[in-house]
Amino acid sequence: MLRVTSSSLKSGAAALIIFATAPPASGHEAWLLTPSEIEALALTPVPFVFASVAVLGPAAGLALLAAAVALALEGRWATIEERASPWLRGLVPSLGAAVLRVGLAAMLLLAATGGLPRHGTAPWTQSTLLVPDMQLSLAPGWDILIVVQVALALILLLGIGTRLAGGVLVLLSGLGLWVFGAEFLSYAPHFAAPGLMLMVIGGGAWSADALMRHDAPDPLTGPAAEALWRGARILVGAGFVYLAVAYKLTQPTLLIAILDHGDFPRFGMTYDVIALIMTGVEIVCGALLVMGRLVRPVALVILGAISFLAVVLGETPLFHANLYGALFVFALAGARAPGPRPSRAAWRMA
Amino acid sequence: MMRRILSRPFAPVLALAGLLTSLAVAAPIYNAGGGAPRAVFLELPARLPEPEVALRADPLPSGRWRLTLAARHFRFTDICVLEAEAVPLGHAHIVHDGVKLAAAYAPIVDIGPLPPGRHRIEAVLRAQDHRAILGRGGLIKGAVVIEVPERAGGV
C-alpha cells in the first residue's frame, strides 16, 4: 500500500515540477491569431473554470472516473487486441516504419530549408531546428544543423542506416535543449521518442536497408528493445502532460482564442468547457502512455484529436508529422516493442 | 521498481489521482494572478515607466508612405532572441486595417504606396521575441489615419 501511495505522490510531485519549470514558451499556435484577436486576448480574464478549485476539483474527479472505467475495461479490450495483435504488429516493420521515416524526413527537410515557417515568416527564408518556432538565426554558430538535418532527412527517406539515424535524431533533440534552452522542452520529447522507435524498428521492409539485405531487417528484440520502446512511450506521454499543463491549463485564454479563431465546433458547450475537456484528455492520455496502459486506444484517441484540430485550424499535417508517425506506430505495436515479424501461420491463426 | 508498482491493479488510478489532484489545486493558484498568456505577451516590471508610441505618416514624392514612430521609454533593435528579457526593447508590428503589414525594427519605416481611401495604421510594440508588450491598459500602440485622395493615390 505504501508503494502504491508513493506512485500517487510521485505523480503529484511531477505535476508541480512542470508548474515550476514551465518557460514563457511561444507555441506556434499563437501565430495563428490576428492582430485584433491578440488585442482582445490581452484583456481577456482567465475563465472561472480554470481558476476555481470548486470546478477543477470535480472536473479532475470526472477525468479520474473516466480513466478508472477505461482501465477496468482494459482486460476486455486486451482480448480484442490479442486477436488483431499479430496482424497489427506485423505492419510495424513495413507501413509503420515507412510512415515514421517519411514524416520525420519531411519535417527535417522543411525545417532545414525554411519550407515550413511559422505564421508571419516568409517561406524559405528562415532555417529552423525541427519545428517552425526554433529559428537557427536566433542561435548563432549553429548553422551546421542545417546540413545535419538535410543529411538526416535524406538518410531517413531512403532508409539507410536507419537505426543509427534514429540515434542521431535523439541526440539532435537533446542538442536542441542545449542550443535553445527550456523553450525546446515543448518539442524535444516528441522528436526523441520517434528516434528511439526507429532504433528499435529499423528502416523496415520498404527501405534501402531491406533492399541491400534482400529482406526486411526485423525489429530489435529483448530487454534493450523493450527499454527503448518504454523510453519512447514515456517521452511521448510526458510530452503531452507537459504541453497540456504549460500551454492549456496555465494559459487557457490562448487555447480558447485559438478555438474561437478556428470556429471550432461547440458541441453545445462553451469554449471554456471545451478547453477544459481538451486539457483533461491530454493529461490523462499522456499519463496513461507514461504508465504503459491502454496504449493502443490512447494512441488512437490522440491521433483523432490532433487530426481534427489540424483540419479545423487548417494546419498542414507536416507541423506534427513526428507525432502522427509515433502515435500510428504505437497504435500498431501497443505498449511493448513490436518484436520480430510474425510468421504467415501466425497471421492465419489471427 | 516503478514497473512493479504500476502493474498493481489500483496503482495507475492512484497515480492519476495524485497527478490530477495536484493540478486541480495548483492551477487555480497559478491562474489567480490572472494575466494574459505568457506565450503571447510580455509584461514589463511595474517599476519601469510604461512605454508609449505615437505615429506620424508622411507621403513621399514617389507616392509611398513613410511612418515615423516616436517612442518613449522604449528602444528599437533588430536583434531578435528566443526568450526576451522583461525590458522595453524590441520592435513594432505595423498593422494596416487589422492586418499585419510590416515589422519596424527602427523608428522610421517605409510602408509603400497606399490605394486611395481612408487607412488606419497602427504600431504595436513588441519585445525581442515578438511577444506583444503589455501595458496597464492592454497593448501599447499608437495609431494614425491616412486619407489618400484619388489623384495622389500612388498606386
Side-chain angles (χ1 to χ4, degrees):
Chain A
M1 188 60 198
L2 198 63
R3 284 178 178 176
V4 167
T5 309
S6 82
S7 73
S8 177
L9 289 174
K10 281 179 183 171
S11 61
L16 297 177
I17 288 168
I18 294 172
F19 267 97
T21 58
S26 48
H28 68 261
E29 288 83 358
W31 297 88
L32 293 170
L33 302 178
T34 64
S36 59
E37 287 169 337
I38 287 176
E39 190 168 355
L41 179 59
L43 301 172
T44 306
V46 174
F48 178 69
V49 297
F50 282 91
S52 163
V53 178
V55 177
L56 284 180
L62 279 176
L64 185 63
L65 184 65
V69 170
L71 283 166
L73 295 173
E74 193 177 20
R76 289 188 187 183
W77 175 260
T79 312
I80 301 168
E81 274 194 13
E82 280 305 311
R83 287 187 189 156
S85 188
W87 180 74
L88 289 172
R89 291 165 80 87
L91 291 174
V92 174
S94 52
L95 186 62
V99 168
L100 204 51
R101 279 193 298 110
V102 173
L104 286 167
M107 284 193 83
L108 284 160
L109 205 54
L110 288 168
T113 55
L116 194 65
R118 66 183 182 187
H119 295 264
T121 303
W124 318 113
T125 59
Q126 290 280 351
S127 293
T128 63
L129 178 62
L130 300 175
V131 291
D133 279 349
M134 298 294 120
Q135 296 182 341
L136 287 171
S137 61
L138 302 177
W142 287 102
D143 290 348
I144 185 70
L145 292 179
I146 298 172
V147 181
V148 171
Q149 288 185 103
V150 171
L152 195 56
L154 295 176
I155 286 169
L156 286 174
L157 207 56
L158 295 171
I160 306 169
T162 307
R163 290 199 166 96
L164 187 62
V168 173
L169 185 59
V170 175
L171 292 178
L172 208 54
S173 308
L175 190 62
L177 285 170
W178 173 266
V179 174
F180 291 105
E183 293 273 337
F184 209 73
L185 266 178
S186 302
Y187 310 106
H190 287 169
F191 280 92
L196 293 177
M197 294 169 100
L198 283 175
M199 289 170 74
V200 175
I201 302 169
W206 306 332
S207 67
D209 283 342
L211 278 176
M212 284 188 282
R213 294 186 191 188
H214 307 292
D215 192 8
D218 274 335
L220 288 181
T221 54
E226 291 299 337
L228 289 172
W229 202 256
R230 193 163 53 247
R233 194 167 42 65
I234 289 171
L235 283 171
V236 171
F240 278 122
V241 174
Y242 175 79
L243 292 173
V245 174
Y247 289 94
K248 295 182 175 71
L249 192 63
T250 58
Q251 304 187 70
T253 52
L254 175 58
L255 174 60
I256 291 162
I258 290 164
L259 294 175
D260 199 18
H261 170 90
D263 202 15
F264 193 86
R266 289 176 183 270
F267 305 108
M269 294 176 279
T270 64
Y271 281 145
D272 297 1
V273 174
I274 291 175
L276 185 61
I277 291 171
M278 287 172 75
T279 306
V281 168
E282 194 164 336
I283 291 169
V284 170
C285 285
L288 288 171
L289 279 180
V290 169
M291 293 186 285
R293 307 301 291 261
L294 293 161
V295 170
R296 282 193 176 105
V298 162
L300 288 174
V301 166
I302 304 177
L303 259 181
I306 61 175
S307 304
F308 184 64
L309 195 61
V311 168
V312 169
L313 296 179
E315 271 192 357
T316 164
L318 288 171
F319 269 136
H320 298 118
N322 55 327
L323 279 179
Y324 286 110
L327 292 168
F328 179 65
V329 174
F330 277 137
L332 293 178
R336 296 177 64 84
R341 283 177 300 161
S343 64
R344 288 186 181 281
W347 283 46
R348 276 197 297 273
M349 281 168 67
Chain B
M1 170 81 169
M2 198 62 184
R3 260 193 303 165
R4 276 207 309 275
I5 293 171
L6 289 176
S7 65
R8 288 161 187 256
F10 296 107
V13 176
L14 282 174
L16 266 174
L19 177 69
L20 292 170
T21 304
S22 308
L23 293 176
V25 171
I29 297 168
Y30 187 93
N31 289 336
R38 62 188 180 280
V40 189
F41 302 101
L42 176 69
E43 288 186 60
L44 297 177
R47 62 182 165 74
L48 293 177
E50 188 162 303
E52 297 167 16
V53 61
L55 258 69
R56 197 183 77 217
D58 299 302
L60 297 173
S62 62
R64 302 170 72 85
W65 286 85
R66 176 167 291 166
L67 288 182
T68 304
L69 286 71
R72 285 186 71 210
H73 311 305
F74 181 84
R75 284 178 298 145
F76 283 91
T77 177
D78 61 356
I79 299 171
C80 294
V81 298
L82 199 66
E83 186 184 333
E85 302 275 344
V87 292
L89 181 67
H91 59 278
H93 283 186
I94 307 299
V95 178
H96 174 207
D97 290 338
V99 179
K100 187 189 164 194
L101 180 70
Y105 293 95
I108 296 177
V109 59
D110 185 337
I111 59 168
L114 294 169
R118 182 184 166 89
H119 303 275
R120 181 178 171 82
I121 309 287
E122 290 180 342
V124 185
L125 296 187
R126 294 270 176 164
Q128 283 182 283
D129 56 4
H130 299 274
R131 283 187 286 163
I133 294 178
L134 210 52
R136 282 179 278 278
L139 298 183
I140 297 170
K141 60 179 187 175
V144 64
V145 174
I146 304 174
E147 297 276 3
V148 182
E150 285 292 338
R151 58 189 169 83
V155 180

